[in-house]
Amino acid sequence: MKKNGNLSILLKGLLKENPVFVLILGTCPTLATTTNVKGAFGMGIAALAVLVCSNILISLLRKIIPDSVRIPCYIVVIAGFVTIVQMIVQAFLPELYEMLGVYLPLITVNCIILGRAEMFAGKNNVGKSALDGIGMGLGFTIALLAMSTIREVFGAASFAGIAIPFLEPYKIEFLVKAPGGMLVYGCLIALVYVITRGKAPLKKSFSCAGCPNAATCQTGSCEAPAEAVAKAPAAEIEKGGAQ
């Protein structure tokens, strides 16, 4: 049972809970770095490294970090690992560093990494947190490779910078532009939804559990304001709108 549980943690990020196509996280780097396969693969591996390392350290510190300041602490940990990865890429892979540009340091605010720290690493042991980081990181990398392959092959008639001559007359340059990226992204989300229908997690509650801002939020529940508005008399709502 334990082995099956660990395997489930590792595999869920690949498809069933893929962070890009199912959880719809990390959209900005997904669209920005998938115009070519090299950039997408580099971004995926960089995010994977940060995700695994930050998950491990946050899991180790989960009983030490005060709950009221856990989000700032998570961000500091993530930013530290991003800085290390950024310096390594700049030193040994300058071409990739230039290709990724500002999106490499922006891994710090990637909601996939902060989300896993909050939802998983801060509540589980080191082994499970490492497996979760590997699974989600691989899922992110696979998603980027899938999108970049479609966009580069059919949009630029090349693969990882290697020209594909017979596709040159038929290339669709629209695909390597921003609207083309959105089109490919939407189609892949639809495809994954069909494949995982009935298996992928659906959002059933908007309670505070797992919300990164829960520690500082004074509302109590995101459901409460909506329910209050629904039950409030029309006169009170109009009065509030007038103010």
Side-chain angles (χ1 to χ4, degrees), residues 30 169 237:
T30 297
I237 296 176

Side-chain angles (χ1 to χ4, degrees), residues 38-124:
K38 286 184 178 179
F41 183 72
M43 172 58 72
I45 295 301
L48 170 62
V50 173
L51 187 53
V52 173
C53 293
S54 61
N55 265 19
I56 290 173
L57 185 55
I58 288 169
S59 178
L60 285 170
L61 300 175
R62 70 185 188 279
K63 295 181 180 179
I64 301 174
I65 298 174
D67 189 63
S68 59
V69 294
R70 69 185 188 282
I71 298 303
C73 291
Y74 293 169
I75 293 174
V76 169
V77 170
I78 294 167
F81 285 116
V82 169
T83 301
I84 294 171
V85 169
Q86 184 180 359
M87 290 190 294
I88 292 173
V89 173
Q90 186 176 12
F92 297 101
L93 298 167
E95 184 180 346
L96 178 62
Y97 179 79
E98 293 295 328
M99 189 180 297
L100 294 179
V102 70
Y103 295 101
L104 187 56
L106 281 178
I107 291 175
T108 302
V109 292
N110 190 316
C111 48
I112 297 173
I113 298 173
L114 181 58
R116 298 322 295 175
E118 170 69 6
M119 294 293 293
F120 200 92
K123 302 173 183 176
N124 291 277

Side-chain angles (χ1 to χ4, degrees), residues 168-222:
E168 183 66 29
Y170 309 104
K171 67 181 181 181
I172 308 169
E173 295 184 2
F174 168 78
L175 293 178
V176 295
K177 300 183 184 300
M182 291 295 294
L183 175 64
V184 174
Y185 190 28
C187 290
L188 288 176
I189 289 174
L191 177 62
V192 171
Y193 175 79
V194 171
I195 295 173
T196 62
R197 191 166 187 177
K199 299 179 180 179
L202 297 176
K203 187 69 174 177
K204 296 180 180 180
S205 173
F206 292 93
S207 65
C208 295
C211 176
N213 296 320
T216 57
C217 180
Q218 302 298 320
T219 304
S221 172
C222 293

